[in-house]
Amino acid sequence: MDSSTLEETTPALASVARDAIPDIVIGRLPVYLRTLKLLAAEGHEVASSQELGERLGISSAQIRKDLSHFGEFGKQGTGYNVAYLCKQLEKILKVDCIWPVVLVGAGYLGHALAAYNGFENRGFRIVAAFDNDPKKIGLRLADSIEIEPDSNIAANVAKHKCQIAIMAVPAEVAQGVADMLIEAGIKGILCYAPITLNVPKDIRVEYIDPVIQIQHMTFYLDKGCLE
Amino acid sequence: MDSSTLEETTPALASVARDAIPDIVIGRLPVYLRTLKLLAAEGHEVASSQELGERLGISSAQIRKDLSHFGEFGKQGTGYNVAYLCKQLEKILKVDCIWPVVLVGAGYLGHALAAYNGFENRGFRIVAAFDNDPKKIGLRLADSIEIEPDSNIAANVAKHKCQIAIMAVPAEVAQGVADMLIEAGIKGILCYAPITLNVPKDIRVEYIDPVIQIQHMTFYLDKGCLE
DNA sequence: TAGATTGTTAATCGATTAACAATC
DNA sequence: TAGATTGTTAATCGATTAACAATC
């Protein structure tokens, strides 16, 4: 096959392999969704990209551009129907349903997560909790979820068909726990341990380390310390 | 003054107004620091940009470029002295000391934060805690920090010369609390409430909302829901 | 209709990467 | 010295923004 033949066939192929949507765009969608739900709760029926942008501190052009990757959701002269756009974003993010999530680590943080009532109405439910401390086994988190031993992880992940795990464990054991979770079939991990996990590239990991974020701020502050 | 005169004087002025360092670079420094400390704890005395990059899943070129904004910290053929680079990054981020931090919200999450022992060795100490629930006033978080009423915020922030606050309060009251904190002199806020705060532009805000991060993952997962 | 706002294009802006001379 | 790795340059890549025709 010579190059001129290739050039003739390539456009058709290209139109099949749609442009990948930038990950940074995906990362903003949940923020849009959260804000739109708030607007809906406040009684707004429509919102323009400008209004939304002002709430979020980003440009209206960026919002329109981001949304344009997925379709045409607005109406010229009017803006976006808030309820409709919410629905669409939930579909895009696949949170128009409830995902089962397992929690590993039943310390103070695990407790706080189990007691948090903000998961369910945004697409998630903690269905099982694990800890490696024998003294905690059998106790319940937030009066509901029973704490099971780490050795039960694989069976539970399979039983609930869980793809998502939250890790609220100390840094020292985090890599080992991640390995177990991945072995058990988990595809996405929200990691509260202050380390970078080593995982296969098909596993998605998000990190929460409050110190990282505070240290990002101190760079800009005037130095003011205790000792 | 004609334009040729201007062109002659401008270069000198430009050399004074140093290029601002991109915020995205600043955001990576705490991650470098965290990893270097871990490497130090593991006994490594030197690390190359390549080793560091592999740990973090980023390119060695990016690490070298990021660091080059602040000086020359490495040695050709060897890499970076881990302890030395830690010290330098701590200085750059101004965490070579302990910042006093106030905590607002003494629920499960506030409790977890107060009990967390990972702040102190990374530059922060919670020195006061507040809640608006009269029943909690006077109780202690993690057997140490006494819970005070929100009305004490201003006096405490002033007393401890606090510039940083952590907000672990419900979304409904978050904006009001933020306003109080800023009024009291707080310059940086770590916000756990699931809303975007409206603040003056000289105030730095970082957000932690686990749902936002899990929703970022579900986009890439195969849909698998409970109901 | 007149005013407002979308979706999209092209230009601008900024960040990442590859490559390599310098040098430990 | 030979090998390794830095700091930096220039090229590439990608993201944001300004602007506007289309149209509600």
Side-chain angles (χ1 to χ4, degrees):
Chain A
M1 195 191 269
D2 68 20
S3 71
S4 72
T5 309
L6 240 179
E7 280 184 352
E8 280 170 57
T9 56
T10 302
L13 281 165
S15 77
V16 172
R18 304 301 310 111
D19 271 352
I21 293 155
D23 182 65
I24 197 159
V25 171
I26 307 302
R28 283 191 290 262
L29 299 185
V31 182
Y32 297 166
L33 175 56
R34 185 180 73 182
T35 305
L36 285 162
K37 281 185 166 184
L38 198 60
L39 284 167
E42 288 172 9
H44 293 75
E45 289 192 354
V46 294
S48 65
S49 57
Q50 179 151 168
E51 292 174 274
L52 201 46
E54 275 166 19
R55 283 251 183 174
L56 295 171
I58 62 182
S59 77
S60 62
Q62 179 159 86
I63 291 171
R64 293 198 302 280
K65 183 117 225 277
D66 285 354
L67 296 177
S68 75
H69 285 101
F70 304 94
E72 308 193 353
F73 305 115
K75 196 183 272 185
Q76 284 100 327
T78 309
Y80 301 89
N81 178 295
V82 174
Y84 175 72
L85 187 50
C86 275
K87 280 252 165 45
Q88 296 306 309
L89 286 173
E90 286 177 342
K91 240 189 250 181
I92 292 164
L93 292 169
K94 306 193 183 120
V95 292
D96 52 343
C97 64
I98 296 182
W99 294 72
V101 174
V102 296
L103 170 67
V104 188
Y108 285 116
L109 179 58
H111 204 104
L113 289 163
Y116 184 50
N117 66 8
F119 284 123
E120 189 98 5
N121 59 5
R122 294 170 75 193
F124 307 97
R125 181 184 300 159
I126 295 175
V127 295
F130 307 92
D131 202 288
N132 66 0
D133 180 351
K135 292 194 291 290
K136 289 181 182 163
I137 310 301
L139 299 179
R140 285 176 184 278
L141 282 179
D143 291 331
S144 65
I145 305 152
E146 184 179 341
I147 303 172
E148 302 181 52
D150 285 0
S151 52
N152 284 15
I153 287 178
N156 263 275
V157 166
K159 185 177 101 187
H160 290 102
K161 295 200 177 70
C162 267
Q163 295 185 65
I164 302 169
I166 301 179
M167 286 177 40
V169 301
E172 302 79 56
V173 302
Q175 183 63 56
V177 168
D179 294 343
M180 285 186 63
L181 289 167
I182 293 164
E183 173 69 24
I186 287 293
K187 298 295 181 196
I189 296 173
L190 179 63
C191 177
Y192 280 86
I195 68 160
T196 301
L197 295 175
N198 191 323
V199 302
K201 55 190 162 348
D202 65 316
I203 306 295
R204 307 207 62 95
V205 184
E206 295 273 332
Y207 296 95
I208 291 179
D209 179 350
V211 177
I212 294 284
Q213 294 184 251
I214 306 181
Q215 288 182 340
H216 188 162
M217 300 194 293
T218 50
F219 176 84
Y220 298 98
L221 301 179
D222 298 326
K223 198 167 174 187
C225 301
L226 285 173
E227 54 212 44
Chain B
M1 195 192 268
D2 67 20
S3 73
S4 71
T5 309
L6 241 179
E7 281 184 353
E8 280 172 57
T9 56
T10 303
L13 280 165
S15 77
V16 173
R18 303 302 311 112
D19 271 352
I21 293 156
D23 183 64
I24 198 160
V25 171
I26 306 301
R28 283 191 292 260
L29 299 185
V31 182
Y32 297 166
L33 175 56
R34 185 179 73 181
T35 304
L36 286 162
K37 281 185 166 185
L38 199 58
L39 284 168
E42 289 172 6
H44 293 74
E45 288 192 355
V46 295
S48 67
S49 58
Q50 180 150 169
E51 293 174 273
L52 201 48
E54 275 165 19
R55 284 251 183 174
L56 295 172
I58 62 181
S59 76
S60 60
Q62 180 161 84
I63 291 172
R64 294 199 301 279
K65 183 117 228 278
D66 285 353
L67 296 176
S68 75
H69 285 100
F70 304 94
E72 308 192 355
F73 305 116
K75 195 183 273 186
Q76 283 100 327
T78 310
Y80 300 90
N81 178 294
V82 173
Y84 176 73
L85 186 51
C86 275
K87 280 252 165 46
Q88 296 306 309
L89 285 173
E90 286 178 341
K91 239 190 249 181
I92 292 164
L93 291 169
K94 305 193 184 121
V95 291
D96 52 342
C97 63
I98 296 183
W99 295 72
V101 174
V102 295
L103 169 66
V104 189
Y108 285 115
L109 180 58
H111 204 103
L113 289 163
Y116 184 50
N117 67 7
F119 283 123
E120 188 99 4
N121 58 5
R122 294 169 75 193
F124 307 97
R125 182 185 298 158
I126 295 174
V127 296
F130 308 92
D131 201 287
N132 65 2
D133 179 351
K135 290 193 292 291
K136 289 182 182 163
I137 310 303
L139 299 179
R140 286 176 184 276
L141 282 178
D143 292 331
S144 65
I145 305 152
E146 184 179 342
I147 302 171
E148 304 182 52
D150 284 2
S151 54
N152 284 14
I153 287 178
N156 264 275
V157 166
K159 186 178 99 187
H160 290 102
K161 295 200 176 70
C162 268
Q163 296 185 63
I164 302 169
I166 300 179
M167 287 178 39
V169 301
E172 303 78 55
V173 303
Q175 184 63 57
V177 168
D179 294 343
M180 284 187 62
L181 288 167
I182 293 164
E183 173 70 26
I186 287 294
K187 298 295 182 195
I189 295 173
L190 179 62
C191 177
Y192 280 86
I195 68 160
T196 301
L197 296 174
N198 192 323
V199 302
K201 56 191 161 348
D202 65 317
I203 306 295
R204 307 207 63 95
V205 185
E206 296 274 331
Y207 296 95
I208 290 179
D209 179 350
V211 177
I212 295 283
Q213 295 184 249
I214 306 182
Q215 288 183 339
H216 187 163
M217 300 194 293
T218 51
F219 176 85
Y220 297 100
L221 301 180
D222 298 324
K223 198 166 174 187
C225 300
L226 285 174
E227 53 211 46

